[in-house]
Amino acid sequence: MARTKIDNNFYRLTLEKMVIGLEEPILIKGVGKMLAKIDSGNGGHNVIHGEDIVIQGDIINFKTSDINGNSKRVSKKIKSTLAVNIGGGHIQERPVIELNVQFAGDVYKKILFSVTDRSDNEHKVLISKDFVGKELDALIDVSKNNISNDGIEVEYVSEGLGNIIKGAIMGTEGGEQMKNR
């Protein structure tokens, strides 16, 4: 964060946030590169596709595929289970595992993913809004895809120690003006 004094009453604070699209590539250790859907409505766990799931004690073994369709077999310790309402009053118990992932060049360790069969879904990985907000500290541009290396500059101008704050979001497309707060 940069702080620049404009005059005796004004300071400019500039923050840079990562902006991600609705679909982004993610590298999962032991699996490879996968295309993830950023699920802004999902406040729970991230999800990874698994088929031929075998659970023996506290170990889960499942098959998944990378972005090129190369099949990978994954074996992980189950950290917990998660009850998910999948609609129509149906509850599905899902095992939760930890995976190390790389997103936009940064490595995130021991990230929780629930495992379920997503064969009927286009996206084999869902990234939750909690991961986006808490781990990535990113903003989602739902009109774009594959932009995770772009940045957004958020600028706040405050008057002295008062509560007058003006903001503008300036992205790669020229930006949009935020309403005064």
Side-chain angles (χ1 to χ4, degrees):
M1 175 179 1
R3 179 178 160 165
T4 307
K5 188 170 185 174
I6 298 173
D7 63 31
N8 286 338
N9 293 319
F10 290 94
Y11 293 90
R12 178 174 295 161
L13 300 175
T14 304
L15 308 170
E16 188 166 314
K17 285 207 172 244
M18 179 181 2
V19 178
I20 59 177
L22 200 54
E23 293 180 340
E24 294 292 341
I26 186 168
L27 182 66
I28 299 178
K29 185 176 180 184
V31 175
K33 188 175 181 181
M34 299 180 83
L35 187 62
K37 177 183 177 193
I38 309 304
D39 191 358
S40 61
N42 170 10
H45 285 76
N46 306 301
V47 182
I48 188 168
H49 168 69
E51 53 189 69
D52 299 332
I53 297 172
V54 177
I55 297 175
Q56 295 178 326
D58 64 349
I59 302 295
I60 183 171
N61 193 304
F62 62 94
K63 186 173 74 170
T64 195
S65 300
D66 67 14
I67 201 167
N68 297 316
N70 299 316
S71 181
K72 306 286 181 169
R73 177 112 348 238
V74 178
S75 183
K76 289 284 187 182
K77 182 175 180 161
I78 298 171
K79 294 297 180 181
S80 64
T81 57
L82 179 67
V84 178
N85 183 345
I86 58 172
H90 301 299
I91 303 295
Q92 182 183 66
E93 289 288 326
R94 295 182 184 172
V96 177
I97 61 174
E98 291 178 339
L99 294 170
N100 295 333
V101 301
Q102 183 175 334
F103 191 92
D106 294 323
V107 175
Y108 301 89
K109 295 186 177 193
K110 297 184 177 183
I111 303 302
L112 297 176
F113 282 81
S114 67
V115 180
T116 192
D117 189 335
R118 294 186 53 80
S119 296
D120 294 333
N121 300 89
E122 179 182 353
H123 297 92
K124 303 307 180 199
V125 175
L126 295 179
I127 299 298
S128 74
K129 68 180 179 183
D130 286 352
F131 180 76
V132 171
K134 294 176 183 173
E135 297 290 334
L136 299 179
D137 189 28
L139 301 173
I140 304 168
D141 184 342
V142 296
S143 70
K144 299 197 180 341
N145 292 321
N146 300 305
I147 61 168
S148 59
N149 289 329
D150 290 348
I152 190 166
E153 184 179 280
V154 179
E155 179 179 67
Y156 295 97
V157 178
S158 67
E159 183 176 331
L161 298 176
N163 292 326
I164 301 171
I165 297 176
K166 296 179 183 176
I169 298 180
M170 297 160 287
T172 56
E173 306 262 331
E176 297 176 9
Q177 196 70 21
M178 281 179 58
K179 292 182 180 175
N180 290 343
R181 295 184 180 206

